[in-house]
Amino acid sequence: MLGLAALVAAAGSSPVAKAADADWGCQVLLCAASSAPSWHQVPYCVPPMMKLITAMARPHYSWPLCHGAGTEAPGFERYEACPTGFSIGYSSQGSDHNWNREPDVCIKRVDRCSRGFNYERNECIETVTQPRPLRAKPYFFDIRQSSGKAERFWFDLNE
């Protein structure tokens, strides 16, 4: 499998300069991996990424792949990790059977009783919840580098 560096080398010295020459799947991969600036600010990247966003709304959509890079369709993680001390939980929203609930809250159990009192332990524990932070860039590609190590590139598909 080729890494991003090999793919860029095959396309030219700059992923931006030659993205228009690559097939659509590789254009999407190169543009999604652009982070400084993001694909939104790269003129060559706007058309293939807007084409992608439009295509995703169609039934039976299939993500365009870049076979030369050895990547699959991207991953998607809507939420950031919970802050330290909190664990991932679920809000009470969702269907009656809770089949489609998302891990959308961060939960922490806090002991509100002082140690000098003999309260029942269950009366002292309070559950604190907060909304789980949403990722600004929820999509990602894991691209294997020439070293064999994978590097994760996060991106968004906001117009």
Side-chain angles (χ1 to χ4, degrees):
M1 286 193 280
L2 296 174
L4 182 60
L7 182 61
V8 170
S13 62
S14 165
V16 180
K18 296 296 181 177
D21 296 337
D23 66 37
W24 184 36
C26 293
Q27 288 175 350
V28 167
L29 179 64
L30 287 167
C31 291
S34 178
S35 59
S38 77
W39 69 265
H40 300 277
Q41 288 81 41
V42 179
Y44 288 114
C45 291
V46 173
M49 296 302 280
M50 294 306 293
K51 178 181 175 183
L52 173 69
I53 292 166
T54 301
M56 289 175 72
R58 295 186 189 121
H60 310 294
Y61 164 75
S62 180
W63 191 274
L65 301 178
C66 181
H67 299 288
T71 58
E72 300 292 326
F76 180 82
E77 291 183 14
R78 180 181 316 274
Y79 299 102
E80 294 279 358
C82 287
T84 303
F86 283 81
S87 60
I88 296 171
Y90 298 84
S91 68
S92 60
Q93 299 173 352
S95 66
D96 291 337
H97 299 290
N98 299 323
W99 289 105
N100 292 321
R101 293 187 340 171
E102 291 186 323
D104 59 351
V105 295
C106 297
I107 298 173
K108 181 178 184 178
R109 298 200 191 284
V110 179
D111 187 345
R112 297 287 185 202
C113 296
S114 77
R115 296 177 192 253
F117 293 99
N118 285 328
Y119 289 111
E120 282 289 323
R121 181 98 177 123
N122 291 342
E123 293 175 8
C124 295
I125 302 300
E126 179 181 348
T127 300
V128 177
T129 63
Q130 66 183 45
R132 194 165 168 204
L134 292 172
R135 287 187 184 279
K137 296 180 177 183
Y139 294 91
F140 64 88
F141 280 110
D142 287 331
I143 302 173
R144 191 153 314 281
Q145 303 301 310
S146 57
S147 66
K149 194 173 190 181
E151 186 174 350
R152 184 161 283 183
F153 293 87
W154 293 93
F155 65 99
D156 70 82
L157 291 176
N158 301 326
E159 294 182 45

